[in-house]
Amino acid sequence: MQAEGSGYARPFCFPAGVQQMESEFRFAMESDVAAITSLVNVAYQVEKFFKIGERTHEGEIRGLLARGRFLLFENATDLVACVYLEVRGERGYVGMLSVSPAHQRQGIAARIMAAGEEFCREMGCHFMDLSVVNLRTELPPIYAKFGYQVTGSAPFPADEMPVKLPCSFVLMSKPLMEQVSAGTDAPVGREGEAPSGMVTRR
């Protein structure tokens, strides 16, 4: 799936139950790379206790835009939140969920997650996958409230992303389709493979 070009940024239609308020969703363009990079790095300062260096860089964001999309949530003046989305067959991948520190604890993460899931559902995905670092122990309970369940683990690529502490990925998934969610577990992808949307870091 290709990213939006350098021209028109197609607005995102809000899923049912998600109020627009004074902000809007849209898909990112090439011109948004610097702003996305800055937002992600600020939002992920919380990982400094185990990670060396910044969370991402402009080259990585451009690479992700070539494979998937960044959904942006803006107010009248600022980029407030973003999330990376990638469709792979019947599975959607979500990563780099980032909310500006000044706008956290306002329900924005839940809104942009719901919008991202709706997009993947419209693209035919039956499941949504994500991964979190096991040292971020506060995250699995939060994603559990969004309907995600732990489905496995995967190694952390410390050779590519230097860390101060040993760590690994916790894999989580949720069903998107009603016919799938009824009594059916959400399988992960290939064994031992973490969802790419969350692990494609430098």
Side-chain angles (χ1 to χ4, degrees):
M1 183 169 52
Q2 297 298 314
E4 294 290 319
S6 58
Y8 177 57
R10 182 167 68 87
F12 185 87
C13 294
F14 278 64
V18 180
Q19 296 182 350
Q20 184 168 354
M21 302 175 64
E22 295 182 355
S23 303
E24 69 168 353
F25 288 127
R26 68 175 176 86
F27 289 115
M29 303 181 295
E30 176 71 19
S31 58
D32 295 307
V33 166
I36 294 171
T37 303
S38 178
L39 173 61
V40 171
N41 284 334
V42 169
Y44 277 81
Q45 288 294 307
V46 67
E47 294 189 346
K48 287 289 188 180
F49 77 96
F50 73 88
K51 192 173 185 298
I52 299 173
E54 297 289 357
R55 169 63 178 81
T56 191
H57 54 84
E58 292 188 10
E60 181 184 21
I61 299 300
R62 288 192 182 91
L64 292 174
L65 276 172
R67 298 202 307 272
R69 295 191 179 197
F70 275 92
L71 183 62
L72 310 183
F73 185 68
E74 301 174 310
N75 60 23
T77 59
D78 300 307
L79 175 59
V80 174
C82 69
V83 69
Y84 175 69
L85 304 168
E86 186 173 335
V87 174
R88 291 188 173 184
E90 294 185 344
R91 307 194 74 88
Y93 297 83
V94 57
M96 285 191 179
L97 173 62
S98 304
V99 180
S100 168
H103 296 87
Q104 292 179 5
R105 301 184 182 279
Q106 298 177 20
I108 293 172
R111 294 190 189 106
I112 198 168
M113 283 289 290
E117 291 168 4
E118 180 65 16
F119 167 73
C120 289
R121 185 181 293 110
E122 291 176 355
M123 295 297 291
C125 296
H126 288 192
F127 299 97
M128 203 75 175
D129 300 324
L130 60 82
S131 66
V132 297
V133 178
N134 68 321
L135 299 179
R136 298 288 307 279
T137 55
E138 77 280 11
L139 293 181
I142 292 174
Y143 285 115
K145 293 179 180 179
F146 296 160
Y148 289 83
Q149 296 182 343
V150 174
T151 55
S153 62
F156 188 93
D159 55 334
E160 300 175 10
M161 294 170 276
V163 291
K164 305 172 187 177
L165 300 172
C167 55
S168 61
F169 284 116
V170 177
L171 309 184
M172 304 185 74
S173 297
K174 71 177 288 185
L176 293 180
M177 302 295 187
E178 290 184 4
Q179 64 269 30
V180 174
S181 62
T184 303
D185 291 331
V188 294
R190 293 189 295 272
E191 184 177 359
E193 179 185 46
S196 63
M198 294 295 285
V199 301
T200 47
R201 312 181 189 183
R202 73 177 188 275

